[in-house]
């Protein structure tokens, strides 16, 4: 599985950005995709995730502002970020969790390259 993330940039506080993560390869066995972020000096944290059943999960700090969605026809997951705050500034990473059967259950994680999001005050 290869993941290509895009959509980061510089925006003023209160603005919006949409991140995209396009997946290629054996995507049929991807059961969950998510967006993580890492700010300087901080640990990487889960921002939002979506399962193959479209169940979503958000970190409390982005609830009501960010929306994760997926377009299966385009093999792409999006993160719509509204009402951005300076504390949202970070490098954002796309991640895919894949599970398949190969004589037993196999699991693997895949990461895309990061995309910088900078929110100015």
């Amino acid at each position: 599985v290869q993941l290509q993330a895009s959509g980061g940039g510089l925006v003023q506080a209160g603005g919006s950005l949409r991140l995209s993560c396009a997946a290629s390869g054996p995507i049929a066995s991807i059961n969950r995709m998510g967006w993580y972020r890492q700010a300087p000096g901080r640990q990487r944290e889960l921002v939002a995730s979506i399962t193959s059943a479209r169940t979503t999960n958000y970190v409390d700090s982005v609830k009501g502002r960010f929306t994760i969605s997926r377009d299966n026809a385009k093999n792409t997951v999006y993160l719509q970020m509204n009402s951005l705050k300076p504390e949202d500034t970070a490098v954002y990473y796309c991640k895919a969790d894949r599970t398949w059967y190969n004589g037993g259950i196999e699991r693997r994680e895949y990461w895309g390259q990061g995309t910088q999001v900078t929110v100015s005050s």
Side-chain angles (χ1 to χ4, degrees), residues 42-55:
R42 302 189 66 176
Q43 288 188 334
R44 191 172 297 189
E45 66 170 351
L46 174 65
V47 177
S49 66
I50 185 166
T51 69
S52 55
R54 299 182 186 272
T55 300

Side-chain angles (χ1 to χ4, degrees), residues 31-34 48-58 68-70:
N31 55 295
R32 179 175 175 266
M33 292 189 71
S49 66
I50 185 166
T51 69
S52 55
R54 299 182 186 272
T55 300
T56 58
N57 182 51
Y58 299 91
I68 190 169
S69 62
R70 61 193 294 164

Side-chain angles (χ1 to χ4, degrees), residues 34-79:
W35 286 97
Y36 288 70
R37 66 186 178 187
Q38 187 166 20
R42 302 189 66 176
Q43 288 188 334
R44 191 172 297 189
E45 66 170 351
L46 174 65
V47 177
S49 66
I50 185 166
T51 69
S52 55
R54 299 182 186 272
T55 300
T56 58
N57 182 51
Y58 299 91
V59 67
D60 286 346
S61 60
V62 308
K63 286 180 180 178
R65 300 188 297 122
F66 290 11
T67 302
I68 190 169
S69 62
R70 61 193 294 164
D71 183 335
N72 290 336
K74 295 182 179 180
N75 302 324
T76 301
V77 171
Y78 303 98
L79 185 67

